[in-house]
Amino acid sequence: MFRMLLLLATIILPIPLSAQPLPVGCEANFAGGTLPAVDAKHSAQSQTVCYRQFAILHSALTKTPVWSAEHLTAQRVGAASGLARKGTFHAETRIPAAERADLIDYKGSGYDRGHMSPSGDMPDGASQQESFSLANMVPQAPCNNEVIWEQIESAVRGYVTAGHDVFVVTGPIYDGATVATIGNNVAVPTRIFKAIFEPKSGRAGVYVTANNNDVSEYATFTLAELQEHTGIDAFPSAPSGTKGRAMELPLLSAPHHACRAAR
Amino acid sequence: MAEPDFTPFENDVESVGCEGLTVENGTDAIALYGRIKITRDQQGLQHALWLRDFANAVVARLSAEKDLPDHTAGPKLTGSMKNPFA
């Protein structure tokens, strides 16, 4: 009887989008094979999209990713470092047109199309091109994207190259009652985070930067703090000790570049 | 690594790079950012040639423009929306 009820329930209840099975191999982007867990506000009108070397949760509410996840190994980063940057920005055709950002939204906005999973982490031409999907982008202040953010991305690759196998979850933070938009309702994040987790050592931490042109440093959050601020549990499989303690985040010893946004 | 394989100001979608440098093409503006080390070796020479060719291509295109304005207009005004996650 119970089995029959269960069967009926399965037939009658609509299957939520998020419960649809992921394409084979997509789980490799996530620590423990587990997707980041988000609260109801972030999961409303959202869609998971899997790519060759990363995966995203896209929100139609902001027309940006909620998170973009990838798994970095020394081998992958080595392959990526031998690949010259080459790609073309494009709208994501797997997301309905009304729910996604388009090139025109960013044009002349004063904001960069900021990769969440970086093109510099992609080990081959096909995955690099996929990283140029606008579904993997947020409107990012040029002096954030081109200076401190670039240094953070390079520092993470340096850490991985030194023999650390890490999972990375990157995404926007929207603070306040209202948020700025560009184009046709593409939301501009107030902050941007990059969470890293090294399962072998149990180390984890989160870079958090302000999304403006005056930013010159990052804050370090624990995974637990990120979840408090955003409702996003980047690595549900991480032990609670890991979530409550922030590692010393890798940072390049590169000199600080002065940056001034074009007016 | 020879010359940058893109035409300045031709489109709004192309992005190429040279070691730690990134170029994003645009019909209104081209962005060049990142960091590069020009080493005193053959690779350094290749990088320097890339930079020269990049700059030459941009200079040639801008010099050929008729009525090049002093400054183009600044960024469009941003809008706002209720924070859907608040």
Side-chain angles (χ1 to χ4, degrees):
Chain A
M1 184 61 194
F2 178 71
R3 282 182 63 176
M4 208 172 120
L5 274 176
L6 204 67
L7 190 68
L8 275 173
T10 313
I11 294 163
I12 294 161
L13 293 175
I15 300 166
L17 204 61
S18 58
Q20 286 179 359
L22 295 176
V24 173
C26 192
E27 71 284 353
N29 296 301
F30 312 113
T34 310
L35 276 77
V38 302
D39 62 20
K41 284 176 177 169
H42 285 84
S43 65
Q45 298 184 48
S46 71
Q47 176 181 344
T48 306
V49 185
C50 294
Y51 300 89
R52 285 173 175 81
Q53 297 286 343
F54 66 103
I56 63 158
L57 180 69
H58 180 269
S59 171
L61 301 173
T62 53
K63 298 184 176 178
T64 66
V66 171
W67 49 254
S68 186
E70 51 185 335
H71 177 207
L72 299 183
T73 62
Q75 190 188 11
R76 169 175 172 170
V77 169
S81 72
L83 196 67
R85 179 176 172 117
K86 189 168 174 57
T88 51
F89 293 96
H90 56 277
E92 181 51 70
T93 53
R94 281 190 271 174
I95 295 166
E99 298 181 5
R100 71 185 186 218
D102 269 298
L103 293 164
I104 192 72
D105 293 320
Y106 281 86
K107 186 172 168 58
S109 70
Y111 285 88
D112 282 359
R113 294 164 291 196
H115 284 72
M116 293 292 90
S117 286
S119 67
D121 288 355
M122 302 304 157
D124 57 76
S127 59
Q128 185 177 192
Q129 175 58 19
E130 287 184 339
S131 80
F132 281 83
S133 169
L134 292 183
N136 182 41
M137 310 268 165
V138 303
Q140 193 168 4
C143 292
N144 179 303
N145 180 38
E146 299 167 16
V147 185
I148 190 164
W149 201 253
E150 198 280 324
Q151 290 175 5
I152 288 170
E153 290 174 347
S154 294
V156 172
R157 284 193 288 271
Y159 185 71
V160 172
T161 302
H164 302 275
D165 196 302
V166 303
F167 290 87
V168 185
V169 172
T170 308
I173 302 175
Y174 296 95
D175 299 302
T178 59
V179 292
T181 57
I182 58 168
N184 185 13
N185 288 323
V186 179
V188 179
T190 38
R191 294 182 288 174
I192 300 173
F193 72 86
K194 184 181 288 295
I196 65 176
F197 172 39
E198 183 183 5
K200 192 178 172 188
S201 65
R203 289 187 196 134
V206 189
Y207 299 91
V208 179
T209 64
N211 186 29
N212 63 46
N213 285 317
D214 300 317
V215 62
S216 61
E217 52 193 24
Y218 62 85
T220 301
F221 280 26
T222 63
L223 292 177
E225 286 168 337
L226 177 71
Q227 189 170 358
E228 273 170 43
H229 278 248
T230 63
I232 301 169
D233 181 357
F235 304 109
S237 69
S240 60
T242 292
K243 287 182 173 177
R245 197 173 52 237
M247 67 185 286
E248 194 176 325
L249 291 166
L251 186 65
L252 286 186
S253 53
H256 173 70
H257 306 247
C259 182
R260 211 177 59 184
R263 309 216 182 264
Chain B
M1 180 54 62
E3 60 192 74
D5 52 351
F6 86 112
T7 308
F9 305 109
E10 190 187 48
N11 61 62
D12 288 301
V13 298
E14 221 172 357
S15 184
V16 295
C18 174
E19 213 219 30
L21 287 184
T22 295
V23 175
E24 290 183 16
N25 211 354
T27 51
D28 296 334
I30 296 167
L32 169 68
Y33 58 90
R35 179 172 178 276
I36 192 168
K37 189 182 274 182
I38 311 286
T39 46
R40 195 169 183 173
D41 54 22
Q42 288 295 334
Q43 191 182 45
L45 175 60
Q46 289 305 311
H47 289 157
L49 288 170
W50 186 95
L51 282 168
R52 184 193 66 183
D53 292 344
F54 169 77
N56 281 346
V58 175
V59 168
R61 188 70 184 79
L62 288 177
S63 302
E65 294 264 339
K66 284 190 181 128
D67 306 322
L68 196 65
D70 288 342
H71 296 287
T72 46
K76 292 178 204 161
L77 288 176
T78 53
S80 69
M81 65 157 74
K82 186 174 174 293
N83 185 349
F85 305 143

